[in-house]
Amino acid sequence: MKTFTIQPENQTPLTMIGCGILRKEVDGLIAKNHWNVHTHYLDSALHNYLNRLSTELNQALEEREKLGEKTVVFYGGCHPLMEKYLEGHHTCRTHGQNCIVMLLGYELFMQELEKGAYFLLEDWALTWEPMITACFGANMTVIREIFHSSHKYILALRTPCNGDFSAAAETAARFVDLPLEWMDVGLEHLETVLADAIQRRLAAEQ
């Protein structure tokens, strides 16, 4: 089993602050590779609320800085000012437009996106109706028009860390009236993305 050795375990740990959408996968990879990294996850729905994302991400970074901790960020370009925030806090983030790109890789992501996929992860499936109605309102006609305007199917992504969320995924697909498809996804690409971000952050300290 391949592992990414990055730093001695007795070195001061990094704190990875980021989206909780793939927390099981990130935690699993940290444990597998024995990375000296702590985690602090934010609500996976924050990408729907840019003001909240800005506030909560900056607050989390400031709190860690006050404690003298080094940070690395697990986010894509989920806020138009993301790079400015990172620069202001003297940190860096994982490479990738979003969490799906980090999980699938750019080519596979674009392949499915161009076919009309809406990517569904376990966390979103389990919180689907309240998350969607909080963002778009409760008018089902409007919700379905929004989804049908840019998507042709729901693509549920199943990783080795997931439980059985098939019922929740089926309910989510019915909710927006789109067909459901499944894809089993490994963690190799995500692992490379995380290792790269950690290495870049540690190199910046040297």
Side-chain angles (χ1 to χ4, degrees), residues 117-151:
Y118 179 93
F119 301 96
L120 183 67
L121 295 167
E122 180 183 34
D123 185 78
W124 288 337
L126 296 176
T127 59
W128 185 254
E129 184 173 345
M131 180 180 71
I132 294 300
T133 54
C135 187
F136 298 117
N139 188 314
M140 292 302 302
T141 300
V142 171
I143 290 173
R144 288 176 175 177
E145 284 178 354
I146 291 170
F147 274 82
H148 287 206
S149 67
S150 52
H151 304 292

Side-chain angles (χ1 to χ4, degrees), residues 46-101:
L46 286 182
H47 66 286
N48 292 325
Y49 309 96
L50 293 183
N51 287 341
R52 282 183 58 201
L53 174 56
S54 172
T55 298
E56 295 189 30
L57 176 58
N58 280 291
Q59 282 181 348
L61 287 166
E62 288 166 7
E63 288 170 2
R64 298 298 172 171
E65 287 166 7
K66 289 177 181 177
L67 295 172
E69 297 180 12
K70 293 182 292 187
T71 60
V72 63
V73 171
F74 175 58
Y75 264 108
C78 302
H79 193 286
L81 297 178
M82 181 65 73
E83 303 308 321
K84 180 180 178 181
Y85 298 153
L86 299 175
E87 184 179 349
H89 292 285
H90 308 289
T91 190
C92 65
R93 70 171 177 88
T94 41
H95 281 148
Q97 175 187 348
N98 54 51
C99 59
I100 306 298
V101 171

Side-chain angles (χ1 to χ4, degrees), residues 4 22-27 29 35 74 94-95 98-105 159 161 185-197:
F4 287 77
L22 292 172
R23 80 166 60 212
K24 290 181 181 178
E25 290 76 9
V26 172
D27 285 345
L29 290 170
W35 291 333
F74 175 58
T94 41
H95 281 148
N98 54 51
C99 59
I100 306 298
V101 171
M102 296 178 203
L103 185 61
L104 297 183
T159 79
C161 301
V185 184
L187 302 183
E188 296 81 10
H189 194 272
L190 178 62
E191 185 173 25
T192 301
V193 168
L194 294 174
D196 170 73

